[in-house]
Amino acid sequence: RALALKVRRTAVVVLVLAVLAVSLVVGKNVLLNEVRRSIHKSLAYDSLTLSYFPPALVIENVRSLADPSALRARRVRIEIPYLSILRNRKILSVVLESPEFHLRTAAAGAPRRKARPPLSVLELPFVIERGLIENGSVVVETGKVTLEARGIRALITQNGEDFTARATAETSGY
């Protein structure tokens, strides 16, 4: 009788753990599909993965869809602390590995894009607490001048609506 009770308890525990594991896998797949749909509107990438420990979204070989590409990065890692998952306002940490930013001024006589209203930090459902750029590069092209900075390492932090940035570049030129 005691053995039968232990077997029943063990079976119930195994069943509950199996249901939790299946729901976790299904939830992960649903979340990844939603993220894929959102990202495909403005970015192309090679792979998108979600890790559990620590909770992070990793996007490999990211590039903007604009032609020519304004942004490329070897890897983007977006991490979220476990406690933040339970809150309405999510706190994120973003790491960009080997990003390349290409900024170009519009050609003379080109129609100007309609200005969109600025995005308020208070309206976003998340806060980027910390951003890290590793081995980045920035190229700014105006009509006659090209400015370049390579080997950029930067740390961006946010405190409320205030941002702090510290950056260094190995090389720069124009």
Side-chain angles (χ1 to χ4, degrees), residues 6 19 21 33 48 50 54 113 127 144 152 163 167 171 173-174:
K6 283 184 181 183
V19 168
N33 285 334
L48 177 74
L50 185 66
R113 279 196 281 170
V127 173
K144 300 175 184 177
I152 296 172
F163 289 89
T171 62
Y174 62 96

Side-chain angles (χ1 to χ4, degrees), residues 121-122 127-130 156-165:
V121 174
L122 297 176
V127 173
I128 299 176
E129 182 181 58
R130 182 175 160 261
I156 298 108
T157 57
Q158 180 181 358
N159 187 5
E161 287 196 25
D162 297 329
F163 289 89
T164 304

Side-chain angles (χ1 to χ4, degrees), residues 83-145:
L83 290 177
S84 182
I85 294 172
L86 303 174
R87 297 183 183 141
N88 285 343
R89 196 156 178 89
K90 309 297 184 228
I91 297 174
L92 303 178
S93 177
V94 179
V95 178
L96 299 173
E97 292 180 22
S98 301
E100 296 177 17
F101 299 96
H102 293 271
L103 308 171
R104 293 174 181 84
T105 58
R112 298 190 85 188
R113 279 196 281 170
K114 183 181 174 185
R116 65 176 184 171
L119 208 59
S120 171
V121 174
L122 297 176
E123 294 174 6
L124 297 176
F126 57 87
V127 173
I128 299 176
E129 182 181 58
R130 182 175 160 261
L132 184 63
I133 296 174
E134 297 175 348
N135 194 27
S137 67
V138 175
V139 177
V140 178
E141 295 177 6
T142 63
K144 300 175 184 177
V145 177

Side-chain angles (χ1 to χ4, degrees), residues 39 43 45 47-49 56-63 71-79 93-99 132:
I39 290 176
L43 298 172
Y45 58 88
S47 71
L48 177 74
T49 56
L57 180 69
V58 180
I59 309 168
E60 300 281 341
N61 294 325
V62 178
R63 57 213 169 273
L71 165 69
R72 277 190 268 172
R74 186 168 55 89
R75 179 178 295 127
V76 176
R77 184 174 178 85
I78 303 167
E79 299 174 352
S93 177
V94 179
V95 178
L96 299 173
E97 292 180 22
S98 301
L132 184 63

